[in-house]
Amino acid sequence: MSVTGAAIVAGVCGQPIRHSLSPVLHNAWIAALGLDAAYVPFAPAEAAFETFVLGLRGGAIRGLNVTIPFKEQALACADQISDLARLAGAANLLVFEADGTIRADNTDGPGLIEAIAVQAPGFDLGTAPAVILGAGGAARGAAAALALAGAPKVSIVNRTLSRAEAIAASIGGVVEAQPETELDGLLAKAGLVINATSLGLGGGAGPAARLELTPESAVVMDMVYKPLRTEFLRRAEAAGRRTVDGLEMLLRQAVPSFEAFFGVTPPASVDMRALALAQLGEAAK
Ligand code: ATR
């Protein structure tokens, strides 16, 4: 890879950032395309995020991916906010225009939709009531993406009902909050079930949802990707359901980000899943 004085620079900002997959992916694509470009990690102190971002106004770098814990703050720094970022209440992409404008977008949503298209081909989001387990930032982003993608109903079920209600009130439309006592009935009619809680992270048990109650055609997704095959996804598989893993979503959100930074589509020649699995230390699926 050659980086000259004319290189286009982009990066990813989070705290901590050292385990981010994004630099590995974007720089593999840059190398495969032979671009004069670089993608670098940034880890500003938590209190310094806004100063950092506003200092980039004017195009010193082309853009930034934003990850935990800055996705909500990223919205507040932007002059223009996409509909999805606004509904999701979070941005994972900031683009710095030469005229000083900062644009915020959210590619996690398209990443989620694309991951379903890749791992559950033929699945029709437009006819499938969705059940989201959890009501943190990940759940809100998923609910926003599904609502904009045309899901007929998105039910958010969470241990703390008030958090689910807050998301439903904020997004509105097809998004509703339901108490955990309604979960079995929702599962029986669900087309799509998504774990957006942190349960299962690091190898523990996932949410206790009875996935065997879902219709046979239902698709089960886990936003947790460490481990890749979570206990939740293993239970879905055991019940005969198609599954979508969180790593695919993470990989797919990088594609529109790359296009926004460098103006070209990532090359298909790079096996991004293999790269990510090597980085995560998981055996290839
Ligand atoms: P993020 O923003 O990354 O989605 P978060 O805001 O910490 O993370 O949300 C974590 C989600 O996992 C929440 O929905 C949380 O439920 P509460 O809102 O009731 O706290 C859910 N969660 C975490 N541990 C849980 C547990 N032991 N049982 C049930 N839900 C749990």
Side-chain angles (χ1 to χ4, degrees), residues 57-238:
R57 199 187 270 285
I61 70 170
R62 183 75 183 103
L64 275 183
N65 283 123
V66 179
T67 187
I68 294 167
F70 299 128
K71 287 185 185 186
E72 286 82 10
Q73 275 187 67
L75 277 189
C77 300
D79 307 298
Q80 292 175 11
I81 299 173
S82 73
D83 288 346
L84 179 58
R86 195 180 301 281
L87 274 187
N92 73 324
L93 173 62
L94 293 174
V95 174
F96 302 100
E97 303 294 0
D99 68 1
T101 306
I102 302 177
R103 283 196 291 117
D105 205 345
N106 182 310
T107 70
D108 289 329
L112 181 146
I113 304 296
E114 192 61 22
I116 294 171
V118 168
Q119 293 197 340
F123 179 74
D124 184 4
L125 275 171
T127 58
V131 177
I132 295 175
L133 306 172
R140 179 169 175 173
L146 293 173
L148 281 190
K153 189 161 84 155
V154 179
S155 305
I156 303 178
V157 178
N158 191 46
R159 176 178 63 180
T160 312
L161 180 59
S162 58
R163 294 187 80 195
E165 288 171 339
I167 294 175
S170 162
I171 300 179
V174 297
V175 181
E176 64 171 23
Q178 291 281 1
E180 284 183 315
T181 48
E182 297 299 316
L183 184 56
D184 284 359
L186 292 166
L187 290 174
K189 293 189 197 131
L192 176 66
V193 183
I194 299 179
N195 175 31
T197 73
S198 48
L199 293 171
L201 186 63
R210 297 172 62 200
L211 297 172
E212 67 281 8
L213 298 178
T214 57
E216 279 179 17
S217 58
V219 168
V220 177
M221 175 171 185
D222 203 333
M223 292 175 81
V224 172
Y225 63 90
K226 289 180 189 173
L228 187 60
R229 306 311 294 165
T230 58
E231 186 264 351
F232 188 71
L233 289 186
R234 282 190 273 113
R235 271 198 291 119
E237 271 166 3

Side-chain angles (χ1 to χ4, degrees), residues 17-74:
I17 201 63
R18 64 182 305 116
H19 297 297
S20 172
L21 288 173
S22 294
V24 177
L25 286 177
H26 284 264
N27 285 308
W29 286 330
I30 287 168
L33 288 168
L35 297 181
D36 186 5
Y39 185 97
V40 292
F42 297 101
E46 288 210 24
F49 176 77
E50 191 170 333
T51 310
F52 170 69
V53 168
L54 294 179
L56 297 168
R57 199 187 270 285
I61 70 170
R62 183 75 183 103
L64 275 183
N65 283 123
V66 179
T67 187
I68 294 167
F70 299 128
K71 287 185 185 186
E72 286 82 10
Q73 275 187 67

